[in-house]
Short mmCIF file of all heavy atoms in Angstrom, two decimals:
data_model
loop_
_atom_site.label_atom_id
_atom_site.label_comp_id
_atom_site.label_asym_id
_atom_site.label_seq_id
_atom_site.Cartn_x
_atom_site.Cartn_y
_atom_site.Cartn_z
N LEU A 89 1.18 16.16 1.95
CA LEU A 89 0.63 16.35 0.60
C LEU A 89 1.77 16.35 -0.42
O LEU A 89 2.84 16.92 -0.18
CB LEU A 89 -0.09 17.70 0.53
CG LEU A 89 -0.59 18.11 -0.86
CD1 LEU A 89 -1.73 17.20 -1.33
CD2 LEU A 89 -1.04 19.58 -0.85
N SER A 149 10.64 26.98 -4.96
CA SER A 149 10.33 28.14 -5.79
C SER A 149 9.51 29.18 -5.03
O SER A 149 9.77 30.37 -5.10
CB SER A 149 9.57 27.66 -7.02
OG SER A 149 9.06 28.72 -7.77
N ASP A 162 -3.91 18.68 -15.01
CA ASP A 162 -3.01 17.52 -15.05
C ASP A 162 -2.29 17.31 -13.71
O ASP A 162 -1.37 16.50 -13.63
CB ASP A 162 -1.98 17.65 -16.18
CG ASP A 162 -0.87 18.63 -15.84
OD1 ASP A 162 -1.15 19.65 -15.16
OD2 ASP A 162 0.29 18.37 -16.24
N GLY A 193 5.79 24.52 19.21
CA GLY A 193 5.13 23.25 18.87
C GLY A 193 5.80 22.46 17.76
O GLY A 193 5.20 21.52 17.23
N GLY A 208 11.97 4.97 -11.42
CA GLY A 208 12.12 5.78 -12.62
C GLY A 208 13.06 6.94 -12.37
O GLY A 208 14.20 6.75 -11.95
N ARG A 209 12.58 8.18 -12.59
CA ARG A 209 13.43 9.37 -12.45
C ARG A 209 13.53 9.85 -11.01
O ARG A 209 14.18 10.86 -10.74
CB ARG A 209 12.86 10.49 -13.33
CG ARG A 209 12.94 10.20 -14.82
CD ARG A 209 12.05 11.16 -15.63
NE ARG A 209 10.64 10.80 -15.53
CZ ARG A 209 9.64 11.42 -16.20
NH1 ARG A 209 9.92 12.43 -17.00
NH2 ARG A 209 8.39 11.02 -16.07
N ILE A 238 0.20 3.35 8.68
CA ILE A 238 -0.31 4.48 7.92
C ILE A 238 0.26 5.80 8.44
O ILE A 238 0.19 6.83 7.76
CB ILE A 238 -1.86 4.49 7.94
CG1 ILE A 238 -2.41 5.33 6.79
CG2 ILE A 238 -2.41 4.99 9.25
CD1 ILE A 238 -2.09 4.81 5.43
N VAL A 275 14.81 9.07 19.15
CA VAL A 275 14.16 8.03 18.35
C VAL A 275 13.66 8.70 17.07
O VAL A 275 13.06 9.78 17.12
CB VAL A 275 13.02 7.35 19.13
CG1 VAL A 275 12.36 6.26 18.28
CG2 VAL A 275 13.55 6.74 20.43
N VAL A 286 13.04 14.45 -2.25
CA VAL A 286 13.09 13.77 -3.56
C VAL A 286 12.93 14.80 -4.68
O VAL A 286 13.61 14.72 -5.71
CB VAL A 286 12.00 12.68 -3.63
CG1 VAL A 286 11.80 12.19 -5.06
CG2 VAL A 286 12.35 11.53 -2.70
#
Side-chain angles (χ1 to χ4, degrees):
Chain A
L89 174 68
S149 171
D162 76 325
R209 294 165 284 184
I238 200 63
V275 180
V286 166

